[in-house]
């Protein structure tokens, strides 16, 4: 252990080089501060990405169609691919047991909603009962669309919390009637969505009702499914990719779409998107660690230079110590203690400043891509370990040089 007297001696020695030590300490403080802040921002980006995926089921497969861009089998480009109810039914039969939740959808584009004197334009979609799970929506009051509503073509509607706030203020709207494009619908539920106001600005009606009332026939705009969760991510991703490929081939074969045409039929898996984002996050974290450590190393080099100067100025003292019987390891320990002292104190200051900044400003940052940047306990411990190692590295070479000083040469030193 290091005695109080020895720490006082270290402090007195460092005080003799106040300006140089101060400038070096600032570089170490800045280095550890930048490192911790960058790691906090990286964690905030991860939180932002996770928040985006929370708006939908994490194991969701979505199917959309558009316009062909490539001629195929005698058919010209520019055809709009219109899916039908039979596409959804066939997909369900072909993948029996592979889906947890499933729904086809039909969107009403002119979604003007009125209640008394209040009105607004919102996104109106005809959906099936499983759509609540697909959107990770939770009911604030009432219920969601069910299978009975679908079978009986009920004119029921479930509205988002934002719609309820706009049209009804604080009134509970369950049982009230609203008009969607001048057609009366009875409110049976109000939902909230982790996606926020954008998702809560939607209203849902039974798919069968939307097709019948708005003249869609058997047309559907899109389909969505969720695959069962697996304990192994790679296994779940492989299963999802197989279903995506099968769905893509099935629809392209039926509608005569060129294999290379990605605009006409789009089948996407949220697991694939999640993997790409998390792989990107790992790269960003490695980059942040690299930038932070590079900045910290600049400060460590300064500490090492200061220790070399200190060893040079204390050459006679070291020579006297060795002449009196001090072993080389005691000289090494003396220099290392001083080096670790400088880096530890400076590093702690930088760490505390970074933690205070993230603690106060982190909760205020809540954008689409960054949410509540923070540093975990494990990261804080890791930075402390880095500080100790950095201090030891900064002092090792000066300490080694000091240990090799010969007493006679040291006493002759001017």
């Amino acid at each position: 252990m290091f005695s109080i007297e020895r720490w006082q001696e270290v402090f007195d020695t460092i005080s003799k080089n106040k300006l140089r030590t101060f400038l070096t300490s600032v570089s170490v403080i800045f280095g550890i501060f930048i490192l911790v802040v960058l790691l906090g921002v990286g964690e905030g980006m991860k939180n932002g990405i996770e928040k985006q995926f929370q708006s939908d089921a994490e194991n969701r497969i979505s199917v959309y169609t558009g316009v062909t861009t490539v001629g195929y089998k005698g058919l010209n480009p520019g055809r709009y691919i219109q899916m039908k109810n039979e596409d959804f039914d066939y997909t369900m039969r072909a993948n029996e047991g592979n889906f947890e939740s499933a729904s086809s959808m039909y969107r009403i584009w002119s979604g003007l909603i009125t209640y008394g004197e209040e009105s607004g334009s919102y996104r109106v979609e005809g959906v099936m009962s499983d759509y609540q799970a697909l959107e990770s929506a939770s009911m604030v009051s009432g219920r969601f669309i069910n299978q009975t509503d679908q079978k009986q073509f009920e004119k029921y509607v479930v509205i988002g919390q934002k719609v309820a706030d706009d049209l009804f203020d604080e009134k509970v709207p369950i049982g009230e009637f609203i008009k969607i494009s001048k057609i009366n619908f009875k409110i049976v539920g109000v939902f909230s969505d982790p996606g926020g106001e954008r998702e809560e600005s939607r209203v849902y009606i039974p798919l069968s009702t939307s097709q019948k009332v708005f003249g869609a026939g058997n047309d559907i705009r899109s389909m969505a499914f969720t695959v069962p969760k697996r304990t192994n991510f790679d296994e779940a991703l492989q299963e999802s990719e197989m279903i995506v490929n099968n769905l893509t081939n099935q629809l392209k074969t039926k509608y005569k779409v060129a294999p290379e045409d990605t605009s006409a039929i789009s089948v996407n898996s949220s697991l694939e998107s999640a993997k790409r984002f998390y792989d990107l996050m790992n790269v960003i974290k490695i980059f942040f660690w690299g930038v932070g450590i590079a900045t910290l190393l600049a400060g460590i080099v300064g500490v090492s230079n200061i220790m070399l100067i200190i060893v040079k100025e204390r050459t006679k003292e070291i020579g006297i110590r060795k002449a009196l019987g001090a072993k080389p390891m005691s000289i090494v320990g003396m220099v290392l203690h001083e080096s670790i002292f400088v880096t530890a104190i400076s590093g702690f200051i930088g760490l505390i400043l970074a933690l205070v900044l993230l603690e106060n400003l982190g909760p205020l940052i809540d954008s689409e891509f960054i949410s509540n940047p923070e540093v975990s306990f494990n990261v804080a411990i890791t930075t402390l370990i880095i500080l100790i190692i950095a201090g030891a590295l900064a002092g090792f070479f000066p300490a080694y040089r000091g240990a090799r000083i010969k007493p006679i040469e040291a006493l002759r030193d001017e």
Side-chain angles (χ1 to χ4, degrees), residues 8-33:
Q8 183 63 45
E9 184 181 345
V10 169
F11 183 78
D12 292 341
T13 302
I14 294 173
S15 297
K16 295 176 182 178
N17 301 276
K18 287 182 179 180
L19 180 59
R20 289 175 298 195
T21 304
F22 172 76
L23 295 176
T24 303
S25 299
V26 169
S27 64
V28 175
I29 291 172
F30 183 73
I32 201 70
F33 177 83

Side-chain angles (χ1 to χ4, degrees), residues 204-350:
Y204 301 127
I205 62 178
L207 173 65
S208 59
T209 305
S210 67
Q211 292 173 322
K212 183 177 180 180
V213 172
F214 296 98
N218 291 322
D219 294 349
I220 57 176
R221 301 286 187 191
S222 59
M223 300 186 293
F225 314 91
T226 56
V227 296
K229 294 182 180 179
R230 306 295 184 192
T231 55
N232 185 289
F233 182 83
D234 291 332
E235 179 184 339
L237 180 61
Q238 184 178 5
E239 180 183 10
S240 176
E241 288 176 345
M242 181 186 67
I243 295 174
V244 166
N245 291 333
N246 290 340
L247 268 172
T248 303
N249 293 333
Q250 165 205 324
L251 292 171
K252 285 189 174 182
T253 299
K254 176 181 177 180
Y255 290 105
K256 295 182 176 60
V257 175
E260 67 274 18
D261 192 341
T262 58
S263 298
I265 295 174
S266 176
V267 184
N268 302 312
S269 168
S270 61
L271 288 177
E272 294 178 358
S273 300
K275 186 176 188 303
R276 287 195 296 269
F277 275 115
Y278 285 117
D279 287 345
L280 176 61
M281 282 308 308
N282 290 333
V283 173
I284 291 175
K285 281 188 175 181
I286 293 173
F287 174 75
F288 282 171
W289 271 105
V291 172
I293 290 178
T295 308
L296 182 60
L297 283 176
I300 298 306
V301 170
V303 174
S304 184
N305 290 333
I306 285 294
M307 297 314 301
L308 284 171
I309 294 172
I310 291 176
V311 169
K312 178 66 178 176
E313 292 179 348
R314 298 176 64 183
T315 300
K316 285 188 176 181
E317 177 191 340
I318 293 173
I320 293 172
R321 286 174 178 269
K322 296 190 73 173
L324 294 175
K327 296 181 179 180
M329 287 304 299
S330 67
I331 303 300
V332 171
M334 177 185 70
V335 178
L336 285 179
H337 276 107
E338 295 180 12
S339 174
I340 293 174
F341 179 82
V342 172
T343 54
I345 295 299
S346 304
F348 274 122
I349 294 174

Side-chain angles (χ1 to χ4, degrees), residues 76-374:
N76 293 326
R79 293 180 296 125
Y80 177 76
I81 304 302
Q82 177 61 67
M83 291 188 293
K84 305 287 185 179
N85 286 338
E86 61 191 57
D87 294 316
F88 178 79
D89 296 336
Y90 176 83
T91 301
M92 292 299 294
R93 290 194 303 270
N95 294 276
E96 186 174 359
N98 290 335
F99 298 141
E100 280 188 334
S101 305
S103 175
S104 53
M105 288 147 280
Y106 180 79
R107 182 175 177 181
I108 293 89
W109 297 99
S110 55
L112 180 63
I113 298 177
T114 58
Y115 173 76
E117 296 181 356
E118 302 293 336
S119 65
S121 181
Y122 303 97
R123 182 169 171 175
V124 182
E125 291 184 338
V127 300
M128 304 174 78
S129 58
D130 280 356
Y131 200 70
Q132 179 183 356
L134 290 165
E135 283 293 316
S136 299
S138 58
M139 301 309 300
V140 176
S141 58
R143 63 173 179 83
F144 201 75
I145 302 298
N146 59 35
Q147 293 183 359
T148 302
D149 301 335
Q150 172 76 6
K151 291 178 180 178
Q152 297 182 359
F153 304 93
E154 297 287 359
K155 292 182 182 178
Y156 291 157
V157 61
V158 178
I159 65 176
Q161 184 64 63
K162 177 68 167 56
V163 181
D165 293 340
D166 291 346
L167 300 182
F168 298 94
D169 292 328
E170 297 181 358
K171 179 181 178 181
V172 178
I174 303 299
E176 297 290 336
F177 285 85
I178 59 174
K179 289 185 178 181
I180 303 176
S181 300
K182 300 182 180 181
I183 300 174
N184 282 324
F185 283 82
K186 182 179 180 180
I187 299 175
V188 295
V190 178
F191 71 89
S192 64
D193 192 289
E197 287 191 356
R198 178 182 176 184
E199 306 296 327
E200 291 176 357
S201 296
R202 302 181 182 183
V203 301
Y204 301 127
I205 62 178
L207 173 65
S208 59
T209 305
S210 67
Q211 292 173 322
K212 183 177 180 180
V213 172
F214 296 98
N218 291 322
D219 294 349
I220 57 176
R221 301 286 187 191
S222 59
M223 300 186 293
F225 314 91
T226 56
V227 296
K229 294 182 180 179
R230 306 295 184 192
T231 55
N232 185 289
F233 182 83
D234 291 332
E235 179 184 339
L237 180 61
Q238 184 178 5
E239 180 183 10
S240 176
E241 288 176 345
M242 181 186 67
I243 295 174
V244 166
N245 291 333
N246 290 340
L247 268 172
T248 303
N249 293 333
Q250 165 205 324
L251 292 171
K252 285 189 174 182
T253 299
K254 176 181 177 180
Y255 290 105
K256 295 182 176 60
V257 175
E260 67 274 18
D261 192 341
T262 58
S263 298
I265 295 174
S266 176
V267 184
N268 302 312
S269 168
S270 61
L271 288 177
E272 294 178 358
S273 300
K275 186 176 188 303
R276 287 195 296 269
F277 275 115
Y278 285 117
D279 287 345
L280 176 61
M281 282 308 308
N282 290 333
V283 173
I284 291 175
K285 281 188 175 181
I286 293 173
F287 174 75
F288 282 171
W289 271 105
V291 172
I293 290 178
T295 308
L296 182 60
L297 283 176
I300 298 306
V301 170
V303 174
S304 184
N305 290 333
I306 285 294
M307 297 314 301
L308 284 171
I309 294 172
I310 291 176
V311 169
K312 178 66 178 176
E313 292 179 348
R314 298 176 64 183
T315 300
K316 285 188 176 181
E317 177 191 340
I318 293 173
I320 293 172
R321 286 174 178 269
K322 296 190 73 173
L324 294 175
K327 296 181 179 180
M329 287 304 299
S330 67
I331 303 300
V332 171
M334 177 185 70
V335 178
L336 285 179
H337 276 107
E338 295 180 12
S339 174
I340 293 174
F341 179 82
V342 172
T343 54
I345 295 299
S346 304
F348 274 122
I349 294 174
L351 177 62
I352 291 172
L353 289 175
L355 292 176
V356 169
L357 177 67
L358 292 174
E359 181 69 22
N360 288 277
L361 296 183
L364 302 178
I365 301 175
D366 191 13
S367 66
E368 186 175 357
F369 299 105
I370 300 179
S371 178
N372 191 21
E374 58 187 359

